[in-house]
Amino acid sequence: MGNRGMEDLIPLVNRLQDAFSSIGQSCNLDLPQIAVVGGQSAGKSSVLENFVGRDFLPRGSGIVTRRPLVLQLISANAEWAEFLHCKGKKFTDFDEVRQEIEAETDRVTGANKGISPIPINLRVYSPHVLNLTLIDLPGITKVPVGDQPADIEHQIRDMIMQFICRESCLILAVTPANTDLANSDALKLAKDVDPQGQRTVGVITKLDLMDEGTDARDVLENKLLPLRRGYIGVVNRSQKDIDGKKDIRAALAAERKFFLSHPAYRHIADSMGTPHLQKVLNQQLTNHIRDTLPAFRSKLQSQLLSLDREAEEYRHYRPDDPSRKTKALLQMVQQFSVDFEKRIEGSGDQVDTVELSGGAKINRIFHERFPFELVKMECDEKEMRREISYAIKNIHGIRTGLFTPDMAFEAIVKKQVVKIKEPCIKCIDLVVQELINTVRQCSNKLDSFPRLREETERIVTSHIRDRESKAKEQVLLLIDVQLAYINTNHEDFIGFANAQQRSSQANKKSSAGNQELQVIRKGWLTINNISIMKGGAKEYWFVLTAESLSWFKDDEEKEKKYMLPLDNLKVRDVEKSFMSSKHMFAIFNTEQRNVFKDNRFLELACDTLEEVESWRASLLRAGVYPERAAVESESSGPSENFSMDPQLERKVETIRNLVDSYMAIVNKCIRDLMPKSIMHLMINNVKEFINAELLAQLYSAGDQNALMDESQEQVQRREEVLRTHHALKEALAIIGDISTTTVSTPLPPPVDNSWLSPGAGSRRSPPPSPTAPRRMSAGQRAAGRGAPPPPSRPGPLGPLNNSADSPQAPSRPNRAPPSIPR
């Protein structure tokens, strides 16, 4: 390979690649592409070959490169080439590579000079290259030949622009020394996409073919038509050299001899030639690598910082140390105990912001769900009165009773008390389920030791189940205690005399005591069944009392929209609409009357199902019961249509009031004792068990060493953390070393390249104004240096002998400049 500069860069890039590979990441340096742009037969392919150091591109006169060649250089241990259109086929002979390029070009474009924008993708694997992309583009032409289309110039221009407009593409603007530099299409295209000249390098080829007595010294010294990065002259192999299989190394030696022996170039010989072009491009690659290092360093440092603490814990870790296992077991059990207590009692450092859990959910079960279940089990009013009447009649038997029997009251009360068992058992089940969920959440931190987690969950869950049975026994005992003795001397019990008067007193209080009604609940609800003509569904502020449901415009409660009395109202479920994300329920009148304006029911919506359940529980407290399914059958006989005499009706009403009063006492007692019993018998007991007994149970459950065996995932995690931490340190050291051993070359200062103005209508600049400073022609500058004047015949580099900016050469659009300065 002929590119020594690239070979100097390879170890640097390989070290970076190795550093990133060791931590399982890709070192995405995204090295720049290098594209050669120029006219036909300007020597573009030769420049590219010299850069790669291999002789593999087609040569000849006229248009030879007729399709873009995207050449990917890939660093590998061996050297071979392969084409994208010939997958799997390896080319080790680069003469075959050239033949395949020619054959593939002809296959798409034909053999008669046709062109195509479809690129040929070639990959060259070699230990002597960097991972770069080089692009050989068709030469710019203006006159179509052979099968070329009439708009050949525009097609080639568009083809070139697809590649060079990318910011990561370095542009080699190739111009032969024996043509007019001011008319260089390559420089014009480069200026269009890179107006600041930051990624454009001018390359002057065919210096050895200039006429005798002429030179390109002013161009190469960047004095005439300057570029920010200047120009580099190269001497490629001639067609005779290529046909004679002249080696690239020999060609580079001949190029060096040419610059050293030529009187016009010997003073700048060190900045000329293919090796210097390679050096400039390699320095650009080095600059690019150095520019990417700060981002890489910052990324690696943040990763290293995040792993420091964990790596420090693992660095002195000995998996088989018995003392370490004992210490870890004690720490794990202690942490489990602390986490469980925090989740039950509440804490600021482990807050679940997604859903209720732990103690908060148990609190909701105690004070919302359980009261809701108690109220829900209350039977239908008709059913209650029927049972009371049957009890009274059955107690009197064949006789007609004169007094209200207290045995009927006791029988009905006991039947109602027995019904309380079901919601009490359900409350315990819900609490047990939440405790088990809390145990599982707390045991997540034991994932590193699967046996320990499994044993901990088993032991604690077994204890919870054991306490569950004791709690249920105690709760059932509470209910049996209530059944054992009906205390009619309770201070809150109304008694027979008061029960008879309750109906009339209630009627009197209903009108006088509205202002003293207790508010049961307030909150936002959406009324869904408002017609679209009236604005559709709207959200209002609702206030529920024991007598009415009112709603206001907002929570300031100044503008009342409606007040709905609760008499004869019930609640029914409403299926969630697929068009709505809200959960709904409805209120309706049991006497088939309109509830709200012309609506038979009021459809209300909440954001969550929990809100719906909470509102239903509040409505139950206010006496609005859920709709019950019709359980009575028509065939149950005429007993349903019984009629009561006035005396019996008074007795039923009296007992009904007594039952309500006594059941209110029982419910109040049960609602108070249930949370206390569950807290004492279950929750507090489980916390004490975890604190005092769990560790002993774990020791007695089996081998301590087996309990503390790490999971395979944890072993891999520890090894991965240590390996990654070490590799990150190495990578940072390599980046630091690269930063200190490489030097960035600053971008040259801007130059006056207005001669390449994209908006110019002609390739030639307009004539200077009379007051503008005038540039000397090449001949005048040569004369000023004591050099012989240029010959009177046309020079091979027109702008060298007669610049478009010369005062003696007025601008003549679309005409070549005169060859002899006047």
Side-chain angles (χ1 to χ4, degrees):
M1 301 294 285
N3 191 342
R4 294 300 309 169
M6 182 183 287
E7 291 178 4
D8 293 338
L9 272 179
I10 289 171
L12 182 148
V13 176
N14 285 345
R15 290 177 65 194
L16 268 183
Q17 299 283 9
D18 292 343
F20 277 82
S21 297
S22 63
I23 56 176
Q25 297 182 12
S26 60
C27 179
N28 187 19
L29 286 173
D30 190 25
L31 292 177
Q33 297 178 343
I34 299 172
V36 286
V37 182
Q40 285 186 18
S41 300
K44 302 182 301 300
S45 298
S46 296
V47 169
L48 206 57
E49 278 186 340
N50 288 344
F51 186 71
V52 177
R54 275 288 183 180
D55 190 4
F56 64 96
L57 293 175
R59 299 300 183 84
S61 59
I63 183 166
V64 177
T65 305
R66 293 182 284 132
R67 288 176 59 184
L69 176 68
V70 179
L71 173 62
Q72 292 177 275
L73 303 180
I74 300 173
S75 181
N77 294 328
E79 190 171 60
W80 78 92
E82 65 179 34
F83 289 90
L84 189 62
H85 62 271
C86 298
K87 287 185 178 179
K89 183 177 180 181
K90 293 185 177 181
F91 294 81
T92 54
D93 185 350
F94 281 83
D95 287 335
E96 293 182 7
V97 172
R98 182 190 306 107
Q99 295 168 8
E100 180 62 30
I101 293 174
E102 293 172 347
E104 177 64 14
T105 300
D106 291 343
R107 186 182 66 81
V108 174
T109 63
N112 195 17
K113 307 297 183 182
I115 66 165
S116 171
I118 302 173
I120 298 174
N121 290 85
L122 171 63
R123 290 181 177 179
V124 173
Y125 297 82
S126 172
H128 308 292
V129 297
L130 285 177
N131 293 336
L132 281 177
T133 300
L134 308 173
I135 304 166
D136 190 17
L137 294 166
I140 303 166
T141 186
K142 301 183 183 301
V143 180
V145 296
D147 294 334
Q148 294 175 357
D151 61 342
I152 180 71
E153 181 180 4
H154 298 294
Q155 285 194 23
I156 292 180
R157 175 187 169 88
D158 292 342
M159 195 186 308
I160 293 171
M161 294 294 283
Q162 287 179 7
F163 294 95
I164 66 173
C165 64
R166 299 170 188 165
E167 288 298 322
S168 62
C169 183
L170 292 176
I171 305 169
L172 299 187
V174 180
T175 304
N178 55 0
T179 60
D180 189 343
L181 186 64
N183 289 331
S184 171
D185 292 296
L187 292 175
K188 178 65 169 61
L189 287 175
K191 177 66 175 178
D192 289 342
V193 297
D194 181 31
Q196 302 301 319
Q198 296 182 358
R199 52 192 180 92
T200 302
V201 177
V203 179
I204 306 298
T205 61
K206 304 188 179 181
L207 290 168
D208 55 329
L209 301 182
M210 294 180 69
D211 289 338
E212 186 178 351
T214 62
D215 59 64
R217 178 174 176 175
D218 283 2
V219 174
L220 295 177
E221 289 179 348
N222 209 27
K223 294 179 180 178
L224 184 69
L225 310 182
L227 288 176
R228 188 166 187 173
R229 289 191 176 274
Y231 297 87
I232 297 173
V234 297
V235 176
N236 297 322
R237 291 175 297 168
S238 66
Q239 189 62 43
K240 180 181 178 182
D241 294 334
I242 295 170
D243 293 339
K245 303 294 183 182
K246 186 175 183 178
D247 183 63
I248 287 182
R249 288 187 176 84
L252 292 177
E255 178 188 54
R256 176 68 174 165
K257 182 178 179 181
F258 170 81
F259 284 114
L260 287 174
S261 60
H262 198 288
Y265 308 134
R266 65 178 58 157
H267 68 291
I268 54 173
D270 290 339
S271 59
M272 293 291 114
T274 300
H276 183 70
L277 175 61
Q278 293 172 351
K279 180 181 177 182
V280 168
L281 295 179
N282 286 327
Q283 187 59 58
Q284 183 65 20
L285 299 180
T286 304
N287 288 353
H288 180 84
I289 292 171
R290 285 179 58 87
D291 290 343
T292 60
L293 292 185
F296 283 146
R297 181 186 289 109
S298 176
K299 177 181 176 182
L300 295 183
Q301 284 174 340
S302 63
Q303 291 180 355
L304 184 66
L305 191 62
S306 65
L307 290 178
D308 269 343
R309 183 175 178 182
E310 194 173 0
E312 187 62 30
E313 293 177 1
Y314 291 150
R315 187 168 288 112
H316 306 294
Y317 188 86
R318 289 180 293 170
D320 299 325
D321 184 5
S323 62
R324 182 204 62 81
K325 290 188 174 183
T326 303
K327 181 181 177 181
L329 178 59
L330 291 172
Q331 289 175 340
M332 290 288 182
V333 172
Q334 185 179 7
Q335 185 63 46
F336 178 83
S337 174
V338 170
D339 290 346
F340 184 83
E341 185 156 358
K342 283 183 177 180
R343 285 187 175 272
I344 295 298
E345 299 296 337
S347 171
D349 60 349
Q350 289 189 7
V351 179
D352 188 347
T353 59
V354 178
E355 61 180 358
L356 288 180
S357 62
K361 194 162 187 179
I362 293 174
N363 177 277
R364 183 173 175 270
I365 293 169
F366 284 161
H367 301 296
E368 286 190 22
R369 188 67 182 269
F370 179 59
F372 171 74
E373 296 292 336
L374 280 179
V375 178
K376 190 171 69 171
M377 66 134 202
E378 294 180 3
C379 68
D380 187 53
E381 184 69 20
K382 283 185 179 180
E383 183 69 22
M384 172 74 78
R385 290 180 178 276
R386 185 186 300 111
E387 290 178 359
I388 294 172
S389 68
Y390 287 160
I392 292 172
K393 289 180 179 180
N394 288 331
I395 288 171
H396 286 311
I398 198 169
R399 303 175 187 81
T400 303
L402 297 176
F403 304 102
T404 303
D406 55 351
M407 291 180 63
F409 159 73
E410 190 168 328
I412 297 299
V413 164
K414 286 184 177 181
K415 187 174 181 180
Q416 294 299 311
V417 171
V418 169
K419 290 182 179 179
I420 296 177
K421 289 184 178 180
E422 183 180 347
C424 290
I425 297 299
K426 187 172 182 180
C427 178
I428 294 175
D429 290 339
L430 292 172
V431 172
V432 166
Q433 186 59 48
E434 186 55 35
L435 285 175
I436 292 174
N437 289 340
T438 303
V439 169
R440 288 174 180 163
Q441 289 171 346
C442 294
S443 64
N444 285 338
K445 291 186 177 179
L446 308 180
D447 273 344
S448 302
F449 307 97
R451 287 286 304 279
L452 176 62
R453 176 176 182 172
E454 183 182 335
E455 280 299 306
T456 301
E457 287 186 2
R458 183 188 65 79
I459 291 171
V460 178
T461 302
S462 298
H463 184 75
I464 292 173
R465 292 296 183 189
D466 181 55
R467 301 309 301 176
E468 174 189 8
S469 61
K470 288 182 172 54
K472 286 181 177 178
E473 289 175 6
Q474 183 64 31
V475 168
L476 293 178
L477 179 62
L478 287 175
I479 299 196
D480 289 341
V481 167
Q482 294 289 342
L483 290 170
Y485 180 69
I486 306 300
N487 182 18
T488 55
N489 286 326
H490 195 281
E491 58 184 3
D492 294 332
F493 187 60
I494 61 173
F496 275 89
N498 292 333
Q500 292 172 349
Q501 298 174 6
R502 171 173 268 198
S503 297
S504 58
Q505 290 174 349
N507 291 335
K508 292 177 183 177
K509 287 181 180 177
S510 62
S511 59
N514 280 341
Q515 68 222 23
E516 299 177 4
L517 289 175
Q518 180 184 4
V519 174
I520 298 175
R521 185 183 177 94
K522 294 182 179 182
W524 292 99
L525 286 173
T526 301
I527 300 179
N528 261 13
N529 55 332
I530 299 178
S531 65
I532 298 178
M533 298 294 293
K534 296 181 180 179
K538 288 185 180 178
E539 195 173 34
Y540 295 100
W541 179 259
F542 278 73
V543 177
L544 174 65
T545 67
E547 296 292 335
S548 65
L549 178 66
S550 306
W551 55 92
F552 300 81
K553 181 181 179 181
D554 51 39
D555 54 4
E556 294 181 1
E557 299 182 15
K558 293 181 180 179
E559 185 180 340
K560 182 182 285 188
K561 293 293 185 181
Y562 201 81
M563 186 179 77
L564 179 65
L566 300 183
D567 299 333
N568 300 319
L569 294 185
K570 285 198 173 183
V571 179
R572 70 160 58 130
D573 294 325
V574 177
E575 289 187 7
K576 181 180 174 183
S577 169
F578 74 95
M579 296 288 290
S580 171
S581 61
K582 292 180 177 289
H583 300 267
M584 293 176 284
F585 63 96
I587 297 174
F588 67 98
N589 193 297
T590 56
E591 296 180 354
Q592 301 300 315
R593 295 179 182 175
N594 289 342
V595 175
F596 171 58
K597 296 185 179 180
D598 297 332
N599 298 304
R600 286 293 180 92
F601 60 92
L602 182 65
E603 192 175 287
L604 302 173
C606 305
D607 290 331
T608 65
L609 191 58
E610 289 184 357
E611 287 185 63
V612 171
E613 291 179 357
S614 185
W615 271 103
R616 286 167 63 92
S618 300
L619 287 166
L620 279 172
R621 288 175 57 197
V624 180
Y625 299 107
E627 181 183 26
R628 296 173 62 88
V631 294
E632 294 88 5
S633 169
E634 292 293 336
S635 61
S636 59
S639 60
E640 289 190 4
N641 299 321
F642 69 93
S643 61
M644 290 189 291
D645 59 84
Q647 184 181 0
L648 179 60
E649 192 168 345
R650 285 195 299 273
K651 293 177 181 179
V652 169
E653 183 66 25
T654 300
I655 292 180
R656 178 73 181 91
N657 290 335
L658 290 171
V659 170
D660 276 350
S661 175
Y662 195 81
M663 287 307 298
I665 296 170
V666 173
N667 284 341
K668 182 178 180 181
C669 179
I670 293 296
R671 281 202 303 267
D672 182 58
L673 286 176
M674 274 294 292
K676 294 177 179 178
S677 300
I678 293 174
M679 281 297 296
H680 174 67
L681 295 170
M682 290 186 61
I683 298 174
N684 289 342
N685 186 277
V686 170
K687 287 196 296 183
E688 290 174 6
F689 173 81
I690 292 174
N691 279 326
E693 300 292 332
L694 177 58
L695 187 60
Q697 294 269 5
L698 286 169
Y699 269 108
S700 63
D703 182 15
Q704 172 202 349
N705 291 331
L707 279 179
M708 298 308 293
D709 284 343
E710 289 182 302
S711 64
Q712 190 61 34
E713 292 79 7
Q714 177 64 15
V715 174
Q716 292 175 354
R717 167 68 181 168
R718 185 176 67 252
E719 293 174 353
E720 178 71 15
V721 166
L722 292 174
R723 186 181 63 81
T724 303
H725 189 267
H726 179 70
L728 284 169
K729 282 189 170 181
E730 281 193 350
L732 284 169
I734 290 172
I735 287 177
D737 187 35
I738 291 173
S739 298
T740 56
T741 56
T742 58
V743 180
S744 291
T745 302
L747 190 66
V751 296
D752 179 15
N753 57 359
S754 57
W755 60 278
L756 274 176
S757 173
S762 169
R763 298 286 187 267
R764 304 262 313 278
S765 299
S769 64
T771 58
R774 298 183 176 182
R775 297 178 181 172
M776 296 176 63
S777 69
Q780 290 170 325
R781 283 190 292 274
R785 291 192 299 265
S792 59
R793 51 188 171 79
L797 266 171
L800 295 180
N801 298 328
N802 195 358
S803 167
D805 292 331
S806 172
Q808 291 87 359
S811 176
R812 296 173 186 169
N814 301 323
R815 289 181 56 188
S819 58
I820 303 175
R822 299 190 179 117

